[in-house]
Structures are given as C-alpha cells and as structure tokens.
Coordinates of all heavy atoms in Angstrom, one line a residue:
M7 N 113.8 104.2 90.4 CA 113.4 104.6 91.8 C 113.4 106.1 92.0 O 112.6 106.5 92.8 CB 114.4 103.9 92.7 CG 113.9 102.4 92.9 SD 114.9 101.6 94.2 CE 114.8 102.7 95.5
R8 N 114.2 106.7 91.3 CA 114.2 108.2 91.5 C 112.9 108.8 91.0 O 112.3 109.6 91.6 CB 115.4 108.8 90.6 CG 116.4 109.3 91.5 CD 117.6 109.9 90.8 NE 118.8 109.3 91.3 CZ 119.8 108.8 90.6 NH1 119.8 109.0 89.3 NH2 120.8 108.3 91.2
K9 N 112.4 108.3 89.8 CA 111.2 108.8 89.3 C 110.0 108.4 90.2 O 109.0 109.1 90.2 CB 110.9 108.2 87.9 CG 111.5 108.9 86.8 CD 110.9 108.5 85.5 CE 111.6 109.2 84.3 NZ 111.3 108.5 83.0
G10 N 110.2 107.3 90.9 CA 109.1 106.9 91.8 C 109.2 107.6 93.1 O 108.4 107.4 94.0
T11 N 110.1 108.5 93.3 CA 110.3 109.3 94.5 C 110.6 108.6 95.8 O 110.6 109.1 96.8 CB 109.1 110.3 94.8 OG1 108.0 109.6 95.2 CG2 108.8 111.2 93.6
C12 N 110.9 107.3 95.6 CA 111.2 106.4 96.8 C 112.2 107.1 97.7 O 112.1 106.9 99.0 CB 111.6 105.1 96.4 SG 110.7 104.4 95.0
N13 N 113.2 107.6 97.1 CA 114.4 108.1 98.0 C 114.1 109.5 98.6 O 115.0 110.0 99.2 CB 115.6 108.1 97.1 CG 116.1 106.7 96.8 OD1 115.7 105.7 97.4 ND2 116.9 106.5 95.8
T14 N 113.0 110.0 98.5 CA 112.7 111.2 99.3 C 112.4 110.8 100.8 O 112.7 111.5 101.7 CB 111.5 112.0 98.8 OG1 110.4 111.2 98.7 CG2 111.9 112.7 97.5
C15 N 111.9 109.6 101.0 CA 111.5 109.1 102.3 C 112.4 108.0 102.8 O 112.8 108.0 104.0 CB 110.1 108.6 102.3 SG 108.9 109.9 101.9
H16 N 112.8 107.1 101.9 CA 113.6 105.9 102.3 C 115.1 106.3 102.4 O 115.9 105.7 101.6 CB 113.3 104.7 101.5 CG 111.9 104.3 101.6 ND1 111.5 103.4 102.6 CD2 110.7 104.6 101.0 CE1 110.2 103.2 102.5 NE2 109.7 103.9 101.5
V17 N 115.4 107.2 103.2 CA 116.8 107.7 103.4 C 117.2 107.7 104.9 O 116.3 107.7 105.7 CB 117.0 109.1 102.8 CG1 117.0 109.0 101.3 CG2 115.9 110.0 103.2
P18 N 118.5 107.7 105.1 CA 118.9 107.6 106.6 C 118.4 108.6 107.5 O 118.2 108.2 108.7 CB 120.5 107.7 106.5 CG 120.8 107.1 105.1 CD 119.7 107.6 104.2
D19 N 118.1 109.8 107.1 CA 117.6 110.8 108.0 C 116.1 110.6 108.3 O 115.6 111.2 109.2 CB 117.9 112.3 107.6 CG 117.2 112.6 106.3 OD1 116.9 111.7 105.5 OD2 117.0 113.8 106.1
N20 N 115.5 109.7 107.6 CA 114.1 109.2 107.9 C 113.2 110.3 108.2 O 112.6 110.4 109.3 CB 114.2 108.3 109.2 CG 113.0 107.5 109.4 OD1 112.0 107.4 108.5 ND2 112.8 106.8 110.6
P21 N 112.9 111.1 107.1 CA 112.0 112.3 107.3 C 110.6 111.9 107.8 O 109.9 112.8 108.4 CB 112.0 113.0 105.9 CG 112.5 111.9 104.9 CD 113.4 111.1 105.8
E22 N 110.1 110.7 107.4 CA 108.8 110.3 107.7 C 108.7 109.6 109.1 O 107.6 109.2 109.6 CB 108.2 109.4 106.7 CG 108.0 110.1 105.3 CD 107.0 111.2 105.4 OE1 105.9 111.0 106.0 OE2 107.2 112.3 104.9
K23 N 109.9 109.5 109.8 CA 109.9 108.9 111.1 C 109.3 107.5 111.1 O 108.5 107.1 111.9 CB 109.2 109.7 112.2 CG 109.6 111.2 112.2 CD 110.8 111.4 113.2 CE 111.3 112.8 113.2 NZ 112.1 113.2 112.1
M24 N 109.7 106.7 110.1 CA 109.2 105.3 110.0 C 109.7 104.5 111.3 O 110.8 104.7 111.6 CB 109.8 104.6 108.8 CG 109.2 104.9 107.5 SD 110.2 104.1 106.1 CE 110.4 105.5 105.1
K25 N 108.9 103.7 111.7 CA 109.2 102.9 112.9 C 110.3 101.9 112.5 O 111.3 101.6 113.3 CB 108.1 102.2 113.5 CG 107.2 103.0 114.4 CD 106.4 102.2 115.4 CE 105.3 103.1 116.0 NZ 104.0 102.8 115.3
R26 N 110.2 101.3 111.3 CA 111.2 100.4 110.9 C 111.7 101.1 109.5 O 111.0 101.0 108.5 CB 110.6 99.0 110.5 CG 111.6 98.0 110.1 CD 111.0 96.7 109.8 NE 110.2 96.7 108.6 CZ 110.8 96.4 107.4 NH1 112.1 96.0 107.4 NH2 110.1 96.4 106.3
L27 N 112.8 101.8 109.6 CA 113.3 102.5 108.4 C 113.7 101.5 107.3 O 114.6 100.7 107.5 CB 114.5 103.3 108.9 CG 115.2 104.1 107.7 CD1 114.2 105.0 107.0 CD2 116.4 104.9 108.2
V28 N 113.1 101.7 106.2 CA 113.3 100.8 105.0 C 114.3 101.6 104.1 O 113.9 102.6 103.5 CB 112.0 100.5 104.3 CG1 112.2 99.7 103.0 CG2 111.0 99.8 105.2
L29 N 115.5 101.1 104.0 CA 116.5 101.7 103.1 C 116.5 100.8 101.8 O 116.5 99.6 101.9 CB 117.9 101.8 103.7 CG 118.0 102.7 104.9 CD1 119.3 102.6 105.6 CD2 117.7 104.1 104.5
L30 N 116.7 101.5 100.7 CA 116.7 100.7 99.4 C 117.9 101.1 98.6 O 118.1 100.5 97.5 CB 115.4 101.2 98.6 CG 114.1 100.9 99.3 CD1 113.0 101.7 98.7 CD2 113.8 99.5 99.4
Q31 N 118.8 101.9 99.0 CA 119.9 102.4 98.2 C 121.0 101.4 97.9 O 121.6 101.5 96.8 CB 120.6 103.7 98.8 CG 119.8 104.9 98.8 CD 118.9 105.0 100.0 OE1 118.7 104.0 100.8 NE2 118.4 106.2 100.3
T32 N 121.4 100.6 98.8 CA 122.6 99.7 98.5 C 122.0 98.3 98.2 O 121.0 98.0 98.6 CB 123.5 99.6 99.8 OG1 122.8 98.8 100.7 CG2 123.8 101.0 100.4
P33 N 122.8 97.6 97.4 CA 122.4 96.2 97.0 C 122.0 95.4 98.3 O 121.0 94.6 98.2 CB 123.6 95.6 96.3 CG 124.3 96.9 95.8 CD 124.1 97.9 96.8
A34 N 122.7 95.5 99.4 CA 122.5 94.7 100.5 C 121.1 95.1 101.1 O 120.3 94.2 101.5 CB 123.6 94.8 101.6
H35 N 120.9 96.4 101.3 CA 119.6 96.8 101.7 C 118.4 96.4 100.8 O 117.4 95.9 101.3 CB 119.6 98.4 101.9 CG 120.4 98.9 103.1 ND1 121.4 99.8 102.8 CD2 120.3 98.7 104.4 CE1 121.9 100.0 104.0 NE2 121.3 99.4 104.9
A36 N 118.7 96.7 99.5 CA 117.6 96.4 98.5 C 117.3 94.9 98.5 O 116.2 94.5 98.4 CB 118.1 96.8 97.2
A37 N 118.4 94.0 98.7 CA 118.2 92.6 98.7 C 117.3 92.2 99.8 O 116.4 91.3 99.7 CB 119.5 91.8 98.7
A38 N 117.4 92.8 101.0 CA 116.6 92.4 102.1 C 115.2 92.9 102.0 O 114.3 92.3 102.6 CB 117.2 93.1 103.4
E39 N 114.9 93.9 101.1 CA 113.6 94.5 101.0 C 112.9 94.1 99.8 O 111.7 94.5 99.6 CB 113.7 96.0 101.1 CG 114.1 96.5 102.4 CD 113.1 96.1 103.6 OE1 111.9 95.9 103.3 OE2 113.6 96.0 104.7
I40 N 113.5 93.4 98.9 CA 113.0 93.3 97.5 C 111.5 92.7 97.5 O 110.7 93.1 96.8 CB 113.9 92.6 96.5 CG1 113.4 92.6 95.1 CG2 114.3 91.1 96.9 CD1 113.2 94.0 94.5
K41 N 111.3 91.7 98.3 CA 110.0 91.1 98.3 C 108.9 92.1 98.7 O 107.9 92.2 98.1 CB 110.0 89.9 99.3 CG 109.9 88.6 98.7 CD 109.4 87.5 99.6 CE 109.7 86.2 99.0 NZ 110.7 85.4 99.5
R42 N 109.2 92.8 99.8 CA 108.3 93.8 100.3 C 108.1 94.9 99.3 O 107.0 95.5 99.1 CB 108.7 94.3 101.7 CG 108.3 93.4 102.8 CD 108.7 94.0 104.1 NE 110.2 94.0 104.4 CZ 110.7 92.9 105.0 NH1 110.0 92.0 105.5 NH2 112.1 92.9 105.1
M43 N 109.3 95.3 98.7 CA 109.2 96.4 97.6 C 108.3 96.0 96.5 O 107.4 96.8 96.1 CB 110.6 96.7 97.1 CG 110.6 98.1 96.5 SD 111.5 98.1 94.9 CE 110.3 97.4 93.8
M44 N 108.5 94.8 96.0 CA 107.7 94.4 94.8 C 106.2 94.4 95.3 O 105.3 94.8 94.5 CB 108.1 92.9 94.4 CG 109.4 92.9 93.8 SD 109.6 93.8 92.3 CE 108.9 92.6 91.1
A45 N 105.9 93.9 96.4 CA 104.4 93.8 96.9 C 103.9 95.2 97.0 O 102.8 95.5 96.6 CB 104.4 93.1 98.2
A46 N 104.7 96.1 97.6 CA 104.2 97.5 97.9 C 103.9 98.2 96.5 O 103.0 98.9 96.4 CB 105.3 98.3 98.7
V47 N 104.8 98.0 95.5 CA 104.6 98.7 94.2 C 103.5 98.0 93.5 O 102.6 98.7 92.9 CB 105.9 98.6 93.4 CG1 105.7 99.2 92.0 CG2 107.0 99.5 94.1
R48 N 103.5 96.7 93.5 CA 102.4 95.9 92.8 C 101.0 96.3 93.3 O 100.1 96.5 92.6 CB 102.7 94.4 93.0 CG 102.2 93.6 91.8 CD 102.5 92.1 92.0 NE 103.9 91.7 91.7 CZ 104.7 91.1 92.6 NH1 104.2 90.8 93.8 NH2 105.9 90.8 92.3
D49 N 100.9 96.4 94.6 CA 99.6 96.7 95.2 C 99.3 98.2 95.4 O 98.4 98.6 96.1 CB 99.5 96.0 96.6 CG 99.7 94.6 96.6 OD1 99.6 94.0 95.5 OD2 100.0 94.0 97.6
N50 N 100.1 99.0 94.7 CA 99.9 100.5 94.8 C 100.0 101.0 96.2 O 99.3 102.1 96.5 CB 98.7 100.9 94.1 CG 98.6 100.4 92.6 OD1 99.6 100.5 91.9 ND2 97.5 99.8 92.3
R51 N 100.7 100.4 97.1 CA 100.8 101.0 98.4 C 101.9 102.0 98.5 O 102.0 102.8 99.5 CB 101.0 99.9 99.5 CG 99.8 99.1 99.7 CD 100.0 98.1 100.9 NE 100.6 96.8 100.4 CZ 101.8 96.4 100.8 NH1 102.5 97.1 101.7 NH2 102.3 95.3 100.3
M52 N 102.9 102.0 97.6 CA 104.0 102.9 97.6 C 104.1 103.5 96.2 O 103.8 102.8 95.2 CB 105.3 102.3 97.9 CG 105.4 102.0 99.4 SD 105.8 103.5 100.4 CE 104.8 103.1 101.9
P53 N 104.6 104.7 96.0 CA 105.1 105.7 96.9 C 103.8 106.4 97.7 O 102.7 106.2 97.2 CB 105.8 106.7 96.1 CG 105.1 106.6 94.8 CD 104.7 105.2 94.5
L54 N 104.2 107.1 98.7 CA 103.2 108.0 99.3 C 103.5 109.4 98.9 O 104.5 109.8 98.4 CB 103.4 107.9 100.8 CG 103.3 106.5 101.5 CD1 103.6 106.6 103.0 CD2 102.0 105.9 101.2
D55 N 102.5 110.3 99.1 CA 102.7 111.7 98.8 C 103.1 112.4 100.1 O 103.2 111.7 101.1 CB 101.4 112.3 98.2 CG 100.3 112.4 99.1 OD1 100.4 112.1 100.4 OD2 99.1 112.7 98.7
D56 N 103.2 113.7 100.1 CA 103.8 114.4 101.3 C 102.8 114.5 102.4 O 103.2 114.9 103.5 CB 104.4 115.8 100.9 CG 103.6 116.5 99.8 OD1 102.5 116.0 99.4 OD2 104.0 117.6 99.5
I57 N 101.6 114.1 102.3 CA 100.7 113.9 103.4 C 100.5 112.5 103.8 O 99.6 112.2 104.6 CB 99.4 114.8 103.4 CG1 98.7 114.4 102.1 CG2 99.7 116.3 103.5 CD1 97.2 114.9 102.1
G58 N 101.3 111.6 103.2 CA 101.2 110.2 103.6 C 100.1 109.4 103.0 O 99.8 108.3 103.5
I59 N 99.6 109.9 101.9 CA 98.6 109.1 101.2 C 99.2 108.5 99.9 O 100.1 109.1 99.3 CB 97.4 110.1 100.8 CG1 96.7 110.6 102.0 CG2 96.4 109.3 99.9 CD1 95.7 111.7 101.8
E60 N 98.7 107.3 99.5 CA 99.3 106.7 98.4 C 99.2 107.5 97.1 O 98.2 108.2 96.9 CB 98.5 105.3 98.1 CG 98.8 104.3 99.2 CD 97.6 103.3 99.4 OE1 96.8 103.2 98.4 OE2 97.6 102.6 100.4
K61 N 100.3 107.6 96.5 CA 100.4 108.4 95.3 C 100.6 107.5 94.1 O 101.4 106.6 94.1 CB 101.7 109.3 95.5 CG 102.0 110.2 94.3 CD 103.1 111.2 94.7 CE 104.5 110.6 94.9 NZ 105.5 111.5 95.2
E62 N 99.8 107.8 93.1 CA 99.9 106.9 91.9 C 101.2 107.1 91.1 O 101.6 108.2 90.9 CB 98.7 107.2 90.9 CG 98.4 106.0 90.0 CD 97.1 106.3 89.3 OE1 96.2 106.9 89.8 OE2 97.0 105.7 88.2
L63 N 101.8 106.0 90.7 CA 103.0 106.0 89.8 C 102.5 106.1 88.4 O 101.5 105.4 88.1 CB 103.8 104.7 90.0 CG 104.8 104.6 91.2 CD1 105.4 103.2 91.1 CD2 105.8 105.7 91.1
D64 N 103.2 106.8 87.5 CA 102.9 106.7 86.1 C 103.2 105.3 85.7 O 104.0 104.6 86.2 CB 103.6 107.8 85.3 CG 105.1 107.5 85.3 OD1 105.8 108.0 86.2 OD2 105.6 106.9 84.3
A65 N 102.4 104.8 84.6 CA 102.5 103.4 84.2 C 103.9 103.0 83.8 O 104.3 101.9 84.2 CB 101.5 103.2 83.1
E66 N 104.6 103.9 83.2 CA 105.9 103.5 82.7 C 106.9 103.2 83.9 O 107.6 102.3 83.9 CB 106.5 104.6 81.8 CG 107.7 104.1 81.0 CD 108.5 105.3 80.4 OE1 108.0 106.4 80.4 OE2 109.6 105.0 80.0
T67 N 106.8 104.1 84.9 CA 107.7 104.0 86.0 C 107.4 102.8 86.8 O 108.3 102.0 87.2 CB 107.6 105.3 86.9 OG1 107.9 106.4 86.2 CG2 108.6 105.2 88.1
K68 N 106.1 102.5 86.9 CA 105.7 101.3 87.7 C 106.1 100.1 87.0 O 106.7 99.1 87.5 CB 104.1 101.3 87.8 CG 103.7 100.1 88.6 CD 102.2 100.2 88.9 CE 101.8 98.9 89.6 NZ 100.3 98.9 89.9
A69 N 105.9 100.0 85.6 CA 106.3 98.8 84.8 C 107.8 98.6 84.9 O 108.3 97.5 85.1 CB 105.9 99.0 83.4
L70 N 108.6 99.7 84.9 CA 110.1 99.6 84.9 C 110.5 99.1 86.3 O 111.4 98.2 86.4 CB 110.8 100.9 84.6 CG 110.8 101.3 83.1 CD1 111.3 102.7 82.9 CD2 111.7 100.3 82.3
L71 N 109.9 99.6 87.4 CA 110.3 99.2 88.7 C 110.0 97.7 88.9 O 110.9 97.0 89.4 CB 109.4 100.0 89.7 CG 110.1 101.3 90.4 CD1 109.1 102.0 91.2 CD2 111.3 100.9 91.1
L72 N 108.8 97.3 88.4 CA 108.5 95.9 88.5 C 109.4 95.0 87.7 O 109.8 93.9 88.1 CB 107.0 95.7 88.2 CG 106.1 96.2 89.3 CD1 104.6 96.0 88.8 CD2 106.3 95.6 90.6
R73 N 109.8 95.5 86.5 CA 110.6 94.7 85.6 C 112.0 94.5 86.1 O 112.5 93.4 86.3 CB 110.6 95.3 84.2 CG 111.2 94.3 83.2 CD 111.1 94.9 81.7 NE 112.4 95.3 81.3 CZ 112.5 96.4 80.5 NH1 111.4 97.1 80.1 NH2 113.7 96.8 80.2
F74 N 112.7 95.6 86.5 CA 114.0 95.5 87.1 C 114.0 94.9 88.4 O 114.9 94.2 88.8 CB 114.7 96.9 87.1 CG 115.0 97.4 85.7 CD1 114.5 98.7 85.3 CD2 115.8 96.7 84.8 CE1 114.8 99.2 84.0 CE2 116.1 97.2 83.5 CZ 115.6 98.4 83.2
G75 N 112.9 95.2 89.2 CA 112.8 94.6 90.5 C 112.7 93.1 90.4 O 113.3 92.3 91.2
A76 N 112.0 92.5 89.4 CA 111.8 91.1 89.2 C 113.2 90.5 88.9 O 113.5 89.4 89.3 CB 110.8 90.8 88.2
A77 N 113.9 91.2 88.0 CA 115.2 90.7 87.6 C 116.2 90.6 88.8 O 116.9 89.7 89.1 CB 115.8 91.6 86.5
F78 N 116.1 91.7 89.6 CA 116.9 91.7 90.8 C 116.5 90.6 91.8 O 117.3 89.9 92.4 CB 116.8 93.1 91.5 CG 117.6 93.3 92.7 CD1 119.0 93.3 92.6 CD2 117.0 93.5 93.9 CE1 119.8 93.5 93.8 CE2 117.8 93.7 95.1 CZ 119.2 93.7 95.0
E79 N 115.2 90.5 92.0 CA 114.7 89.5 92.9 C 115.1 88.1 92.5 O 115.6 87.3 93.4 CB 113.1 89.6 93.0 CG 112.5 88.7 94.1 CD 111.0 88.9 94.2 OE1 110.4 89.2 93.1 OE2 110.5 88.7 95.3
S80 N 115.1 87.8 91.2 CA 115.5 86.4 90.8 C 117.0 86.2 91.0 O 117.5 85.2 91.4 CB 115.0 86.0 89.4 OG 115.6 86.9 88.5
T81 N 117.8 87.3 90.9 CA 119.2 87.2 91.1 C 119.5 87.0 92.6 O 120.4 86.2 93.0 CB 119.9 88.5 90.6 OG1 119.6 88.7 89.3 CG2 121.5 88.4 90.8
V82 N 118.8 87.7 93.4 CA 118.9 87.6 94.9 C 118.5 86.1 95.3 O 119.3 85.5 96.0 CB 118.0 88.6 95.7 CG1 117.9 88.2 97.1 CG2 118.5 89.9 95.5
N83 N 117.4 85.6 94.7 CA 117.0 84.2 95.0 C 118.1 83.2 94.6 O 118.4 82.2 95.3 CB 115.7 83.9 94.4 CG 114.6 84.6 95.1 OD1 114.7 85.1 96.3 ND2 113.4 84.8 94.5
A84 N 118.7 83.4 93.4 CA 119.7 82.5 92.9 C 120.9 82.6 93.9 O 121.6 81.5 94.1 CB 120.1 82.9 91.5
A85 N 121.3 83.8 94.4 CA 122.4 83.9 95.3 C 122.1 83.1 96.6 O 122.9 82.4 97.1 CB 122.7 85.4 95.6
Y86 N 120.8 83.3 97.1 CA 120.5 82.5 98.4 C 120.6 81.0 98.1 O 121.1 80.3 98.9 CB 119.0 82.8 98.8 CG 118.9 84.1 99.5 CD1 117.8 85.0 99.2 CD2 119.7 84.5 100.5 CE1 117.6 86.2 99.8 CE2 119.5 85.8 101.2 CZ 118.5 86.6 100.8 OH 118.3 87.8 101.4
A87 N 120.1 80.6 96.9 CA 120.2 79.1 96.6 C 121.6 78.7 96.5 O 122.0 77.6 97.1 CB 119.4 78.9 95.3
W88 N 122.4 79.5 95.9 CA 123.9 79.2 95.8 C 124.5 79.0 97.2 O 125.2 78.1 97.5 CB 124.6 80.2 94.9 CG 126.0 79.9 94.7 CD1 126.6 79.0 93.8 CD2 127.1 80.4 95.5 NE1 127.9 79.0 93.9 CE2 128.3 79.8 94.9 CE3 127.3 81.3 96.5 CZ2 129.6 80.1 95.4 CZ3 128.5 81.6 97.0 CH2 129.7 81.0 96.5
E89 N 124.2 80.0 98.0 CA 124.8 80.1 99.4 C 124.3 78.8 100.2 O 125.1 78.3 101.0 CB 124.3 81.3 100.2 CG 124.8 82.5 99.7 CD 125.8 83.2 100.7 OE1 125.3 83.4 101.8 OE2 126.9 83.4 100.3
S90 N 123.1 78.4 100.0 CA 122.6 77.2 100.8 C 123.0 75.9 100.1 O 122.6 74.8 100.6 CB 121.1 77.3 101.0 OG 120.4 77.1 99.8
G91 N 123.7 76.0 99.0 CA 124.1 74.8 98.3 C 123.1 73.9 97.6 O 123.3 72.8 97.3
D92 N 121.9 74.6 97.3 CA 120.8 73.9 96.7 C 121.1 73.7 95.2 O 121.6 74.6 94.6 CB 119.5 74.5 96.8 CG 119.0 74.4 98.3 OD1 119.5 73.6 99.0 OD2 118.0 75.2 98.7
Ligands
HEC107 C1 106.4 110.3 101.3 C2 107.2 109.3 101.8 C3 107.4 107.9 101.1 C4 107.6 107.7 99.8 C5 107.8 108.7 98.7 C6 107.8 106.3 99.7 N1 107.6 105.6 100.9 FE1 107.8 103.7 101.2 N2 107.2 104.0 103.2 C7 107.0 105.2 103.8 C8 106.6 105.0 105.1 C9 106.1 106.2 106.1 C10 106.6 103.7 105.4 C11 106.2 102.9 106.7 C12 104.8 102.9 107.0 C13 104.0 102.1 106.1 O1 104.3 100.9 106.1 O2 103.0 102.5 105.5 C14 107.0 103.0 104.2 C15 107.2 101.7 104.0 C16 107.7 101.0 102.9 C17 108.0 99.6 102.7 C18 107.7 98.6 103.8 C19 106.3 98.1 103.6 C20 106.2 96.7 104.2 O3 105.4 95.9 103.6 O4 106.8 96.4 105.2 C21 108.4 99.4 101.5 C22 108.9 98.1 100.8 C23 108.4 100.7 100.8 N3 108.0 101.7 101.7 C24 108.8 100.9 99.5 C25 108.7 102.2 98.8 C26 109.0 102.3 97.4 C27 109.5 101.2 96.5 C28 108.8 103.6 97.1 C29 108.9 104.3 95.7 C30 108.1 103.7 94.7 C31 108.4 104.3 98.3 N4 108.3 103.4 99.3 C32 108.1 105.6 98.5 C33 107.1 106.5 103.1 C34 107.4 106.6 101.8

C-alpha cells in the first residue's frame, strides 16, 4: 500500500477533503473497505495523482495489492461467517 501511495490521501487529516473519508490503516478500517478497495484497484480507479486524476500503478504493486487483498478479503469473509454461525 505504501508503494501504491494510498496513505498520502487516506489518512485522518484528509488532505483531499473526501466527503466520506476512507481509512485503510487498521485491520478494522481495512476490513470495512476491502470490497471497495479491491474494486477500485482492479478497475484502475485508485490511486489518484496530486491533481486528482487516476494514476497508473506499476504491475508488480497492483498484483501484490490484489493478491494480499484477496487473502485478507477471504479471511474477513470467514470471520463474518464464523460470527453469524454459518
Ligand atoms: C491523491 C489522493 C489519493 C490517493 C493517492 C488514493 N486515493 Fe483513494 N480516494 C481519494 C479520493 C479523493 C476519494 C473519494 C472520491 C472518489 O471516490 O473518487 C477516494 C476514494 C477511495 C475509495 C472509495 C471508493 C468507493 O468505491 O467508494 C477507495 C476504496 C480508495 N479510495 C482506495 C484507494 C487505494 C487502495 C489507494 C492506493 C492504491 C488509493 N485509494 C489512493 C484519493 C486518493
């Protein structure tokens, strides 16, 4: 995520003045956003550059984000399933 520059914008001081501040740093925040994060990275909507235009991720960073993101997402889903007793 550092290589993807996500944390220059998705931080508590909200430099981009997002209407809905998306935080990704803690497991709880990340768990709530993982679906949207995967979609945003997969569809090349994130990261943005400093004038707010989509910025291309290098292939390796994108692949790693999606790989670890998928592992995290399936863990989160397993936790939800466990909580709901399924
Ligand atoms: C230059 C600033 C900037 C960077 C860098 C950036 N974002 Fe964002 N992000 C935004 C802004 C502004 C929004 C809210 C506006 C929008 O939805 O386009 C947003 C919205 C999002 C959302 C919510 C979109 C939705 O579907 O609800 C996700 C998820 C997200 N960013 C993930 C990421 C990830 C992952 C990275 C790194 C790979 C990243 N962002 C890098 C500025 C940034």
